[in-house]
Amino acid sequence: MPTITLRHLAFIAAIMTPLIASSQNGNTGRMTKEATVDNYFTAKYEVLASDSSTKDGKYTLYYRDAPIESGEYKMGKKSGIWEYRNLRKMTELKYDHTARRPTYMLPHEGHKYNTRNYPCTFIGSPLIPFFFIHTRAYYPKAEADNPDGGNVILRLMISPQGKLTSFMIKQATSENFAEVVRKAAIAIPKDKWRWVPAMKDGKRVEGTYDITILFDNE
């Protein structure tokens, strides 16, 4: 299962000021809006001119200037194939929201997936769950004199229905690092996040999803 580490995000930007802007799209009956999402991302999307709360049309989510999610909404619901990318601008997942199935998964560690066998995957950019944990897992005071920092691998357990059921600390360099990650994981929005369930021999099975956090004492 692919993981994202803090080293990949050493250049994390400062928290952005919330922004919402809009403009009319000619005679299409839509408006384009721009908004800050979860402090680190910028969304550009179309809404109905008659109801600006309803997304309808193209949607792109950016980390800085890099698109990490893109697709289309129809009357407020995701429709058709969406692409979800990692920080290296590689497509991690293509997911058909109309058919509710993946159409592509990025091979990792030499693995090649088919329609009958693939791992569980977050339906969204992998930056979303990483940032969620990273921004809540503060460096523990008890490790202030530790010159080497530490790391934690958080393992999420995903049901055959594509929902987070539980989590555990798979690996940690100390209990102090494990505890701050454990506290951050408690706040994961279980009812909001969705996952592609793992598939084995054509059957949905329980799967795991790992998130690696590196703590750098600088």
Side-chain angles (χ1 to χ4, degrees), residues 62-124:
Y62 296 87
Y63 174 70
R64 290 192 167 184
D65 61 345
I68 59 172
E69 298 187 357
S70 59
E72 289 195 16
Y73 276 90
K74 287 188 178 180
M75 298 301 294
K77 295 184 178 181
K78 291 181 178 179
S79 178
I81 296 175
W82 281 55
E83 289 194 39
Y84 300 106
R85 304 174 184 87
N86 59 30
L87 191 62
R88 294 184 291 274
K89 300 181 180 180
M90 299 173 66
T91 298
E92 288 273 356
L93 171 70
K94 291 183 181 180
Y95 187 80
D96 189 333
H97 283 271
T98 302
R100 296 184 180 181
R101 61 180 180 84
T103 61
Y104 169 81
M105 287 185 180
L106 179 67
H108 287 275
E109 300 177 358
H111 294 292
K112 292 184 178 180
Y113 311 125
N114 55 49
T115 58
R116 293 177 55 81
N117 294 278
Y118 50 77
C120 102
T121 303
F122 180 67
I123 302 179

Side-chain angles (χ1 to χ4, degrees), residues 19-25 30-37 41-48 51-62 69-73 76 82:
L19 169 68
I20 297 179
S22 62
S23 61
Q24 188 74 38
N25 289 349
R30 299 190 183 110
M31 297 174 60
T32 297
K33 298 185 73 172
E34 181 175 331
T36 299
V37 179
F41 311 108
T42 302
K44 295 182 180 180
Y45 55 96
E46 295 180 315
V47 298
L48 294 176
D51 180 5
S52 62
S53 65
T54 301
K55 295 183 180 71
D56 191 78
K58 295 180 180 179
Y59 178 99
T60 305
L61 185 68
Y62 296 87
E69 298 187 357
S70 59
E72 289 195 16
Y73 276 90
W82 281 55

Side-chain angles (χ1 to χ4, degrees), residues 1-35:
M1 183 64 225
T3 60
I4 304 172
T5 71
L6 188 57
R7 289 174 182 169
H8 294 151
L9 297 173
F11 56 90
I12 289 176
I15 293 177
M16 296 182 288
T17 303
L19 169 68
I20 297 179
S22 62
S23 61
Q24 188 74 38
N25 289 349
N27 297 319
T28 64
R30 299 190 183 110
M31 297 174 60
T32 297
K33 298 185 73 172
E34 181 175 331

